[in-house]
Amino acid sequence: MTLDIAAFTTPSPERPPAAVPVDWAAVEAWLGVSLPDDYKRLADARGPLDFGEYLWIHVPCAQGNSFDYGDWLRETHREARIQARALPEPERPDLHPAPGGLLAWGRTRGGDVLFWDTSVSEDPNQWTVVVRHLGPVPGSGLLPWHRYDLTLTGYLRHMVRESWELPSPPGPLMLLPGTIARTAFLREAGPWTPPEPTVPRLTDAERRVALETGTGLDALRLLSPPPDAPYLGSGTWDGLFEELGTRLPREYVTLLTLYGAGCWSGWLRFHTPLRPAGRGFGRHVESTLDGYGQLKEKYPEDFPLPMWPEPGGFLPFANSIDGDYLGWLTEDDDPDAWPLIVWPRHAPQGRPWDHGLVDALLAWQRGTFVTEGLAALDEDDDPVEHAGFEPWDDRAYW
């Protein structure tokens, strides 16, 4: 008799589970593998689940810009592939879509990621659970990747067991309440449609220019096309220069005139420069340097940069989603000679960059410029896929 989670769980009255229609033939064709029957029954009957108030079971669904099953799988597998590089090469697990690779199905509030081991059997109903724990697990050789000799439903059942007795080898260490609820952040989730195969954005010749032979703005435009209507704000460059008391580097002005404000590669945000005084560039400079100055007073050895408008002071103009700040060292009377430098959020202060702004953006998006404050590409990433520029409009905060 097949075990069903209804036998050991109770639906939440506040957020009762609710099904989302799934075209399993389309989903499995897109994945290139069939999925376990217990997972499909679970998804068909209950949709995305918050299990035991701790574990999110993700099913093929989508909700606006907040969740897309395909995007979640791709990002989860990429993250896991990068994390696995910390293991000795023979111990690194393969990740889907590699044959026999781990295939994600859930995540916990503690940051653990749950997978099936698709190498166990050609029959997906025999796939067992592998968890990438945030920390080491006793009995696993002190490695965060731990294999459990349990299928999906068996793993869930064991999570709501009544004693701490563990199977051999050790199984899940937590005891969860037997509750199931609609995932709170997916209340409005609807059907997910697998993406259609797409024609490559660049031809082979264009890829060579964008990634190898091209230089400057010509190559950058291929790698990250600029928007049709870049947003700068309603002011003027002369007005900004007058407000700041200095001209800014021509390369920056040229780049912003072409692209406007926005976010590069989902990581590096260029502030809107020409909003009225008190709302734009100057406000961000002031607030950034205020924070830097407070840290500098407490920890001067860790925050060695002088601050603009001091001679040679740090003048920020962009930041990362992790709170790193990119700016110039204003150590020359000619702004075009100012070197770039990053104030890194999670690392010691580094030296100025040898790159100019356009060359730095191009090399970073190509994956050939690695430095603190800029998210690095993984060795298996396609730079063209990860490059891009998301333009902002007048509703943007920055």
Side-chain angles (χ1 to χ4, degrees):
M1 180 177 178
T2 302
L3 182 66
D4 189 278
I5 72 165
F8 54 89
T9 58
T10 302
S12 163
E14 291 81 20
R15 289 187 285 117
V20 174
V22 179
D23 183 342
W24 291 111
V27 170
E28 291 175 330
W30 180 79
L31 287 170
V33 293
S34 297
L35 293 170
D37 290 337
D38 59 349
Y39 172 75
K40 290 189 286 188
R41 286 194 299 269
L42 181 67
D44 285 338
R46 298 174 176 87
L49 280 183
D50 182 336
F51 182 91
E53 302 175 13
Y54 183 72
L55 191 162
W56 292 302
I57 300 174
H58 290 316
V59 304
C61 66
Q63 180 174 285
N65 294 324
S66 62
F67 183 83
D68 178 279
Y69 173 73
D71 290 344
W72 177 76
L73 275 184
R74 182 169 53 251
E75 289 304 312
T76 298
H77 291 163
R78 178 181 182 268
E79 176 186 274
R81 188 179 71 231
I82 294 170
Q83 291 169 334
R85 296 194 193 286
L87 298 176
E89 189 168 354
E91 299 176 14
R92 295 175 191 170
D94 290 325
L95 276 300
H96 183 82
L102 301 183
L103 177 60
W105 56 266
R107 200 175 192 106
T108 73
R109 282 178 169 82
D112 306 330
V113 184
L114 302 105
F115 303 86
W116 288 294
D117 183 354
T118 70
S119 70
V120 169
S121 172
E122 293 184 359
D123 178 4
N125 297 312
Q126 302 301 314
W127 292 349
T128 52
V129 171
V130 175
V131 182
R132 201 288 177 184
H133 291 281
L134 194 62
V137 176
S140 68
L142 298 183
L143 295 174
W145 297 85
H146 192 77
R147 298 178 180 275
Y148 297 100
D149 189 22
L150 298 163
T151 62
L152 168 66
T153 304
Y155 180 88
L156 297 178
R157 177 67 185 90
H158 196 70
M159 293 287 270
V160 297
R161 66 195 186 279
E162 296 180 356
S163 80
W164 284 96
E165 181 180 353
L166 300 175
S168 181
L173 300 182
M174 296 191 69
L175 299 181
L176 300 181
T179 59
I180 51 175
R182 182 60 175 265
T183 302
F185 57 85
L186 292 176
R187 288 176 183 263
E188 306 301 323
W192 176 73
T193 302
E196 295 289 337
T198 58
V199 177
R201 181 169 64 83
L202 300 179
T203 66
D204 289 343
E206 288 172 333
R207 279 184 66 93
R208 283 193 294 274
V209 172
L211 299 180
E212 300 172 18
T213 63
T215 60
L217 281 174
D218 288 341
L220 190 63
R221 291 173 69 126
L222 272 178
L223 200 52
S224 297
D228 294 331
Y231 176 67
L232 297 170
S234 59
T236 66
W237 288 111
D238 287 341
L240 174 60
F241 299 163
E242 182 177 354
E243 176 192 348
L244 296 175
T246 180
R247 178 174 65 82
L248 296 179
R250 290 187 179 88
E251 187 177 35
Y252 169 79
V253 174
T254 299
L255 180 73
L256 268 290
T257 300
L258 179 62
Y259 282 91
C263 189
W264 293 84
S265 296
W267 181 261
L268 186 61
R269 303 179 292 200
F270 276 56
H271 308 321
T272 307
L274 303 184
R275 279 180 170 157
R279 293 188 57 225
F281 191 100
R283 182 192 66 176
H284 293 299
V285 170
E286 181 179 358
S287 62
T288 300
L289 294 182
D290 180 65
Y292 189 88
Q294 293 180 43
L295 292 168
K296 187 180 179 71
E297 286 183 9
K298 293 183 178 180
Y299 314 103
E301 67 282 0
D302 295 325
F303 298 89
L305 299 180
M307 298 185 298
W308 184 85
E310 299 174 29
F314 177 58
L315 176 57
F317 64 86
N319 70 354
S320 80
I321 61 174
D322 267 358
D324 312 279
Y325 287 85
L326 176 62
W328 301 282
L329 290 180
T330 58
E331 56 190 21
D332 194 287
D333 290 338
D334 179 7
D336 295 327
W338 293 346
L340 290 163
I341 194 168
V342 67
W343 163 27
R345 176 68 176 83
H346 300 290
Q349 179 61 58
R351 61 182 299 276
W353 293 357
D354 296 326
H355 295 74
L357 181 56
V358 170
D359 286 344
L361 282 173
L362 178 60
W364 169 54
Q365 293 203 317
R366 284 173 167 175
T368 59
F369 179 38
V370 179
T371 186
E372 295 293 346
L374 296 181
L377 291 179
D378 181 62
E379 62 187 59
D380 290 332
D381 288 338
D382 179 359
V384 173
E385 179 182 335
H386 287 268
F389 178 77
E390 178 188 354
W392 294 339
D393 56 25
D394 58 2
R395 294 170 293 181
Y397 170 77
W398 297 102

